[in-house]
Amino acid sequence: MEEFYFCTEGLTVGYHGVPLIKNIEIRLKKGEILTLIGPNGAGKTTILKSIIRQLEPLSGVAWLDGREIQRLSGNAFSKKVSVVLTDRVRPELMTCEDVAAAGRYPYTGRFGRLSEEDWRIVQEAMELVHVGELRDRDFTKISDGQKQRVMLARAICQEPEIIVLDEPTSFLDIRYKLEFLSILQRMSRSRNLSVIMSLHELELAGRISDKLLCVKGDKVDRFGTPEEIFTPGYIAGLYEMTAGSYEERTGNLELEAVKKEPEIFVIAGNGSGTALFRRLQREGTAFAAGVLWENDLDCPSAKALASEVVLEKAFCRIRPEQIQRAKELIDSCKKVICTLDLEEAGEWMEELRELAGYARGMGKL
């Protein structure tokens, strides 16, 4: 237990004495980022609320820096753990600086007065998350994304050793999602800050997390590194996906393929065909694609969206039988589209030039 900054043993959480998730086992070292993933309603927020003592665990123990969390005083807990929840805070007549400064109150003593050093820490935290220019703005008048960053500044002001966040990117656009998570990652490295959070964005969870905890049913289904979690087919099972697909290696999420005989054959590669594959899917047009190498950028989308994909092993010349199958598909399709510039391609594209020539000879290219 000594080597882990945060850990749980036999932790069971729930409401009104009814277990929701049983025997939660977490092991987190100082400076590591742990992300909870799983379907809506699986209990991720319940786990987080139990960790931050908003809910009393039904059984088991959570340890923080070698001490039982439930036995820490309120002030001692506040100096070690800060929290950013999705609940919308609505403070009355408070500026953004006032909200951020609230994070210093575990250190201010009985009268709640902030010293010059406290204010320096507040300013530093606001600059760190890029909300310094909002200092004098009414907190209720700024955007949801700006509020989320101000709340992160407040959490940083506590100078915690661990920060707990529930869906912290929910109200952020793509720019601020990446910026927000980059700040967390930077702090985990530079300040040895441990992070526990829940995320819906699987591709981001896989990139930022040192550990992932997968919640399904009444248990933790998996706990480990992203490489251990994102194995072929696992995410579809975790979320019980009935339409579309998720490719664990690339984070590629696609809608359901058009289930008809292909009308169009696409000669693609090097990522040049993905946009067309998605356009054809949106239009309800079934297509086939090839010949693609198994490590090609177009391969994940083609395999998810095409009626059939003619594949070749990575780093191999295209075999005659693959060319023959592609020609058979071209024969049955009404039209062929080539997204590659085959004139400038190297000798490895010779077989694809042959395919394009075959389609051109049939008046289909």
Side-chain angles (χ1 to χ4, degrees):
M1 185 173 64
E2 288 73 22
E3 67 173 302
F4 298 105
Y5 179 70
F6 175 82
C7 62
T8 63
E9 294 182 353
L11 191 69
T12 296
V13 301
Y15 296 90
H16 311 299
V18 179
L20 182 61
I21 306 160
K22 302 173 182 176
N23 298 318
I24 303 162
E25 301 287 340
I26 298 172
R27 300 289 184 267
L28 190 66
K29 294 179 180 178
K30 204 169 181 66
E32 286 188 323
I33 297 175
L34 166 66
T35 302
L36 280 58
I37 63 173
N40 285 336
K44 301 183 295 294
T45 299
T46 304
I47 293 173
L48 295 180
K49 286 185 175 181
S50 299
I51 289 171
I52 63 175
R53 310 199 308 186
Q54 281 193 6
L55 286 174
E56 185 79 23
L58 301 184
S59 64
V61 181
W63 302 85
L64 182 64
D65 200 15
R67 300 174 65 186
E68 190 176 336
I69 281 183
Q70 295 298 327
R71 296 184 183 276
L72 290 171
S73 69
N75 192 262
F77 184 78
S78 296
K79 289 180 179 179
K80 285 187 173 290
V81 181
S82 60
V83 179
V84 179
L85 298 179
T86 50
D87 301 337
R88 301 203 181 190
V89 180
R90 300 186 182 278
E92 296 293 332
L93 303 175
M94 291 180 71
T95 65
C96 293
E97 186 178 59
D98 294 332
V99 173
R104 291 304 299 163
Y105 284 109
Y107 302 90
T108 56
R110 181 175 299 175
F111 298 105
R113 292 181 179 176
L114 274 64
S115 65
E116 287 187 11
E117 176 64 10
D118 289 323
W119 284 114
R120 183 194 67 76
I121 292 170
V122 172
Q123 302 310 320
E124 184 181 277
M126 295 187 75
E127 293 299 331
L128 181 64
V129 299
H130 308 297
V131 291
E133 72 279 4
L134 303 177
R135 179 176 294 113
D136 299 320
R137 294 272 302 275
D138 184 333
F139 181 80
T140 62
K141 301 292 176 60
I142 61 176
S143 71
D144 286 334
Q146 290 171 325
K147 287 175 182 175
Q148 194 76 335
R149 285 186 288 147
V150 171
M151 296 303 292
L152 179 59
R154 185 184 75 166
I156 294 169
C157 283
Q158 286 180 232
E159 297 184 301
E161 295 175 8
I162 186 168
I163 185 168
V164 179
L165 309 100
D166 186 21
E167 297 294 343
T169 59
S170 293
F171 307 124
L172 305 182
D173 61 31
I174 187 62
R175 171 192 168 183
Y176 289 120
K177 283 181 195 287
L178 294 173
E179 189 174 280
F180 189 98
L181 294 177
S182 295
I183 290 167
L184 286 180
Q185 189 179 66
R186 196 159 53 244
M187 289 195 304
S188 75
R189 292 170 178 168
S190 63
R191 302 188 180 193
N192 218 17
L193 177 74
S194 300
V195 178
I196 301 177
M197 63 179 167
S198 60
L199 281 180
H200 278 305
E201 297 93 338
L202 294 176
E203 70 283 5
L204 295 178
R207 284 158 176 74
I208 193 175
S209 308
D210 298 297
K211 299 285 177 58
L212 290 162
L213 184 141
C214 308
V215 185
K216 182 181 181 182
D218 64 349
K219 69 181 189 300
V220 172
D221 197 58
R222 281 191 186 182
F223 175 76
T225 65
E227 295 75 23
E228 292 168 332
I229 300 302
F230 289 112
T231 55
Y234 178 69
I235 293 299
L238 177 66
Y239 286 86
E240 298 180 347
M241 293 172 60
T242 56
S245 65
Y246 182 84
E247 217 289 330
E248 282 84 358
R249 293 173 300 173
T250 61
N252 196 62
L253 184 68
E254 298 291 358
L255 294 171
E256 193 171 15
V258 180
K259 293 180 171 61
K260 293 190 294 186
E261 289 297 313
E263 302 174 40
I264 294 174
F265 187 87
V266 182
I267 301 171
N270 199 30
S272 65
T274 297
L276 176 61
F277 300 157
R278 291 170 179 166
R279 175 182 169 184
L280 292 171
Q281 190 275 344
R282 290 196 301 272
E283 293 173 351
T285 303
F287 68 94
V291 176
L292 288 171
W293 283 277
E294 291 176 341
N295 62 339
D296 193 276
L297 291 172
D298 280 330
C299 201
S301 294
K303 288 168 70 175
L305 299 176
S307 299
E308 182 178 338
V309 186
V310 184
L311 293 171
E312 184 54 271
K313 294 177 182 178
F315 310 115
C316 293
R317 290 299 293 259
I318 300 174
R319 291 166 291 167
E321 55 264 38
Q322 306 307 95
I323 291 294
Q324 181 57 38
R325 178 55 188 158
K327 287 180 177 179
E328 290 171 0
L329 287 166
I330 288 173
D331 290 342
S332 63
C333 287
K334 299 176 182 176
K335 184 166 63 173
V336 177
I337 300 174
C338 180
T339 61
L340 287 165
D341 185 352
L342 292 174
E343 296 305 317
E344 295 186 7
E347 62 174 309
W348 275 54
M349 295 290 186
E350 189 58 43
E351 291 83 0
L352 296 185
R353 280 193 282 269
E354 178 187 339
L355 273 187
Y358 181 77
R360 187 180 293 110
M362 299 180 69
K364 294 186 176 183
L365 188 67

